[in-house]
Amino acid sequence: PDLICEKMMETGVRYLPVAVEKGHDITARERMMVAASYGGWMLVDGLVHIGHCIAHEIGAAFHIPHGAACAYAFPAMVDHISLIESEKIKYTGELLGAHFTGNENSKEIAKKTIEAYLHFRDKIIKLRPLSDYNPDLSKVNLEMAQSILNDPITSMTPVPVTLEDICYMLYTTFIS
């Protein structure tokens, strides 16, 4: 699954900006359609974890399209799994244009990757800010966090997840 996911990420970094800027570009849209199809395949084979669980909840609560909700949850998820998945995170950061000296620890790799990702999401793709959905932050509470914790997919996260972790991830999702 990693090779397929890497190719999908490469495709997204290359073609998503074109598809967003030039919606009539058939090649870019075709490439993104294929990447999305492979993404569905990887959901079954490679599985997903906490980022998708957060996206399920905030998407449902605030009527946010699932892809956008995943995009908002990504930084918090990367930070949470950074101690275990630093090589994958570094690969993602490099795809997004982050520069590494080779001396970074896991948290520094995550930080640089998140910065590159936020630049891609917010400046290149120009995903509308989460605040545009006018989320009622009173719904971002322990009940939502508990629902995420109870989601069976949460158990697939490579780093164990506690209720406190989820509360922190929700908090950072809404402030980034």
Side-chain angles (χ1 to χ4, degrees), residues 44-115:
V44 173
D45 191 43
L47 302 175
V48 294
H49 49 76
I50 192 67
H52 267 77
C53 300
I54 292 170
H56 291 156
E57 289 296 320
I58 67 172
F62 306 120
H63 308 287
I64 300 169
H66 184 64
C70 287
Y72 300 129
F74 183 82
M77 178 273 300
V78 166
D79 184 58
H80 182 74
I81 67 169
S82 63
L83 295 177
I84 301 293
E85 299 289 354
S86 63
E87 285 305 310
K88 289 180 181 181
I89 292 168
K90 184 177 181 182
Y91 175 80
T92 303
E94 289 169 339
L95 275 178
L96 294 167
H99 299 285
F100 300 96
T101 64
N103 297 320
E104 294 89 357
N105 65 35
S106 297
K107 284 295 185 180
E108 291 166 337
I109 290 170
K111 184 178 187 293
K112 286 184 176 188
T113 297
I114 290 167
E115 288 170 358

Side-chain angles (χ1 to χ4, degrees), residues 86-149:
S86 63
E87 285 305 310
K88 289 180 181 181
I89 292 168
K90 184 177 181 182
Y91 175 80
T92 303
E94 289 169 339
L95 275 178
L96 294 167
H99 299 285
F100 300 96
T101 64
N103 297 320
E104 294 89 357
N105 65 35
S106 297
K107 284 295 185 180
E108 291 166 337
I109 290 170
K111 184 178 187 293
K112 286 184 176 188
T113 297
I114 290 167
E115 288 170 358
Y117 170 77
L118 291 174
H119 175 78
F120 182 79
R121 183 191 77 185
D122 300 342
K123 304 296 184 199
I124 295 174
I125 301 302
K126 299 178 182 149
L127 183 67
R128 64 193 270 199
L130 181 55
S131 61
D132 280 5
Y133 292 95
N134 299 312
D136 174 359
L137 296 181
S138 70
K139 292 181 180 180
V140 182
N141 54 31
L142 282 176
E143 183 179 332
M144 178 181 278
Q146 188 64 55
S147 183
I148 293 167
L149 186 62

Side-chain angles (χ1 to χ4, degrees), residues 21-34:
E21 187 174 321
K22 301 174 186 171
H24 61 279
D25 187 309
I26 299 301
T27 300
R29 293 178 67 82
E30 178 184 80
R31 296 292 173 111
M32 291 309 303
M33 180 187 67
V34 170

